[in-house]
Amino acid sequence: MRAPIFLFKVIRRELINAIRKKGPEMLANLENIYLHQDNAPAHTASATSLELDGFNRIAHPSYSPDLAPMDFSVFPAIKSELREIRFEDLVELRSRVMSIIATFKSDWYRNVFTKWVKRHEKSVRCEGRYLEKE
């Protein structure tokens, strides 16, 4: 079943609103913004691809979770903080995750971005081949 057109307009609008919130000066140069999504089916669906037309996208090689910042940095940081904690409900868990994310400073994000660039450079040098951990 194909999702309604209005849904894709909402996705695009929300993306532009997020860019406006994080860096309003970037809206004047959307052609300088590059989006990176992994190969999850929701990200590779033709409807999603059509919705993101006009944005530059960085290809994500198959089977490369080590290139996704959520996988190599964000999730491990959150998991280490939540280890051995029990939550009464989903609301409590969400609240705790949001408070953990709020503690991440700009240097932390800068470091994640630097790691992301280095991982992509390594992937390009290896022509996207699968690599064992070193």
Side-chain angles (χ1 to χ4, degrees), residues 15-24 26-27 30 33 55:
L15 179 58
I16 290 174
N17 285 341
I19 293 168
R20 181 178 291 120
K21 185 177 177 182
K22 293 288 183 184
M26 295 189 315
L27 282 179
L30 283 179
I33 296 175
F55 288 97

Side-chain angles (χ1 to χ4, degrees), residues 71-87:
D71 291 331
F72 73 75
S73 224
V74 179
F75 292 150
I78 292 171
K79 283 171 56 176
S80 71
E81 291 289 324
L82 298 178
R83 189 162 280 120
E84 298 181 15
I85 299 175
R86 299 271 181 208
F87 296 95

